[in-house]
Amino acid sequence: MSSQDTVPGIRKSLLIDGELVATERVITSINPATGEVVGYAPDADVTHAEAAVAAARRAFDNTDWSTNVDLRVRCLDQLHQALLDNVEEMRELTIAEVGATRQLTYANQLAAPIEIVRYYADLLRSYPMTEDIGEIEIRGQKHRRWIEKESAGVVAAITAYNYPNQLALAKLAPALAAGCTVVLKGSPDTPLITQLLGEIIANHTDIPAGVVNILSSSEIAVGEVMTTHPDVDVVTFTGSTVVGKKIMAAASDTLKRVFLELGGKSALIVLDDADLQMAAQFAAFSICAHAGQGCALTTRMLVPRDKHDEVAQLVSAFLQRVPFGDPSDPKTYMGPLITEKQRDKVDGMVQRAVAAGATLVTGGEKVSPGFFYKPTLLAGVDPDSEIAQDEVFGPVLALIPHDGDDDAVRIANNSAFGLSGGVISSDEERAIAVGRRIRTGTFSINGGNYFTPDVPFGGYKESGIGREMGTAGLEEFLELKTFAAAAS
């Protein structure tokens, strides 16, 4: 049975102020593996966005959600259980709409995001909302000081298409744990899975009306309402750096707190003592994870110059063995790109790279039906070229030669981005020393996996501002209030 056979076909409801609201206008959701229609999602307009913000504002100002920790813990527990109870429906919809492989739904596409809710429910049980900073004497008078951590307010959360469950829950769970109210807008490329989350919240939790509002929309104006509305206190966005800059500028008029998780062009550095077979396999399968549609993937592979050709052959052999195709098949490792437009963008960048002097070792071909692109290796890449500097968001690896550790560090840091990276070496201390010189928010040593709910995730430079997940993710949604009381 394919995923299409078990996916609900049509969803026509937004979640606004505790009600599932129908719209006449819809977004057509397309299965990227087949090009066929999955279903129809509600297409919110500015009126819906304003209603959602108003509902979130009322829920924050007029209920005890922001101060009732016990209620928040109970609701997060309920949400976690509801997600588990509905996981198979979520799985099939994620496969059909996102093009995620069945394998990935047991990891970062679904199973891992659900555990983010569990993590924040548990963290909230023990997280100290008050910090005593002691007594001090000033001009003969003693003063007792302490800090209280308060909810930041109404949150506008906007997510991308590539990992919709992860991105939504990595924003929603900590915001709710902090006592914020939320307006969440999913990507118009993957609207159905976001609206399913709204239905689960409405039907299976005691989260009060207005605390969570979920929209899907094709209108740019809806995002503009969310990022400029005076009743919104915090904006959290995951997507492209270009859009992130526009959101930051738009939010500046009302001085909102802005958290941005943006693009990446991460480097995998192979040192001269590395196991080349292991490095090649890691690089090849990493770049093909979700067809390369991941901001933290290592899309540049930096190898010793005298081993460049050997590594190219090894990586090419692994890429040619990557199973791609029907994402509902448990044996499939790589699925499609999200749209024909995205595939054309990827192919255009590959063709321009070859024209600029890079060598196409393998791949560089569209595969139909659906929006598939063959795993691709470009060798002899100029570190200053477009393909080495700009985010591709496809299964394309750029192989770049380096002349030792210092040169590798220089090339890795020669980027506007600073999200992630990795190094492979037989000497762990040497690898860690190299990693400490790379200006990124996360870093992997010999394939180490940092992506879990308790670990902060985010980047330097144009990869963003702030962190998601971990204690740091909760604190993005808290304000600090300092108290001082004159001691009697």
Side-chain angles (χ1 to χ4, degrees), residues 135-143 145:
E135 191 174 271
I136 192 172
E137 185 174 309
I138 301 175
R139 294 188 292 275
Q141 172 69 57
K142 290 185 176 180
H143 302 266
R145 293 91 40 77

Side-chain angles (χ1 to χ4, degrees), residues 25-228:
R25 193 177 62 179
V26 296
I27 303 169
T28 302
S29 176
I30 301 297
N31 184 329
T34 65
E36 298 173 354
V37 173
V38 177
Y40 304 92
D43 195 358
D45 59 24
V46 167
T47 302
H48 295 115
E50 290 174 342
V53 171
R57 185 79 261 168
R58 286 194 301 273
F60 187 83
D61 292 342
N62 300 331
T63 75
D64 69 344
W65 176 259
S66 66
T67 57
N68 192 334
V69 173
D70 290 340
L71 173 61
R72 302 203 303 268
V73 168
R74 176 163 61 86
C75 288
L76 285 169
D77 284 341
Q78 290 173 343
L79 177 57
H80 178 252
Q81 186 59 52
L83 293 171
L84 293 177
D85 292 344
N86 290 274
V87 70
E88 292 309 319
E89 183 180 2
M90 296 180 72
R91 187 186 319 283
E92 299 305 328
L93 189 53
T94 301
I95 293 168
E97 183 176 56
V98 184
T101 62
R102 190 169 297 279
Q103 288 183 22
L104 270 181
T105 65
Y106 289 94
N108 290 351
Q109 281 286 4
L110 183 58
I114 289 174
E115 290 314 299
I116 293 174
V117 181
R118 172 79 277 133
Y119 170 79
Y120 282 108
D122 292 341
L123 178 63
L124 185 56
R125 287 178 164 90
S126 59
Y127 184 83
M129 290 294 182
T130 301
E131 178 185 353
D132 188 350
I133 53 176
E135 191 174 271
I136 192 172
E137 185 174 309
I138 301 175
R139 294 188 292 275
Q141 172 69 57
K142 290 185 176 180
H143 302 266
R144 180 169 58 89
R145 293 91 40 77
W146 70 97
I147 296 169
E148 294 187 3
K149 301 170 186 179
E150 299 181 345
S151 307
V154 174
V155 174
I158 303 173
T159 64
Y161 66 78
N162 55 333
Y163 285 83
N165 296 305
Q166 164 70 33
L167 301 178
L169 293 174
K171 298 179 188 305
L172 188 61
L176 295 180
C180 295
T181 58
V182 182
V183 180
L184 170 67
K185 187 181 89 67
S187 167
D189 289 323
T190 54
L192 293 173
I193 190 65
T194 308
Q195 295 311 128
L196 176 57
L197 176 61
E199 291 189 359
I200 290 171
I201 289 171
N203 294 329
H204 301 289
T205 76
D206 294 330
I207 295 174
V211 168
V212 178
N213 306 270
I214 298 185
L215 309 176
S216 53
S217 178
S218 62
E219 276 195 32
I220 294 175
V222 167
E224 290 173 346
V225 168
M226 293 174 62
T227 55
T228 61

Side-chain angles (χ1 to χ4, degrees), residues 266-277:
S266 303
L268 175 64
I269 300 172
V270 179
L271 301 184
D272 56 18
D273 62 351
D275 179 335
L276 298 186
Q277 188 84 5

Side-chain angles (χ1 to χ4, degrees), residues 466-486:
R467 295 294 182 268
E468 283 186 337
M469 300 193 296
T471 302
L474 174 66
E475 291 170 347
E476 291 289 347
F477 300 104
L478 293 171
E479 290 281 9
L480 301 183
K481 179 180 285 185
T482 300
F483 284 89

Side-chain angles (χ1 to χ4, degrees), residues 328-348:
S328 68
D329 185 338
K331 296 179 181 178
T332 299
Y333 183 81
M334 189 185 89
L337 295 173
I338 190 66
T339 61
E340 181 70 23
K341 179 181 177 181
Q342 178 61 22
R343 184 170 67 172
D344 286 346
K345 177 206 168 190
V346 171
D347 188 57

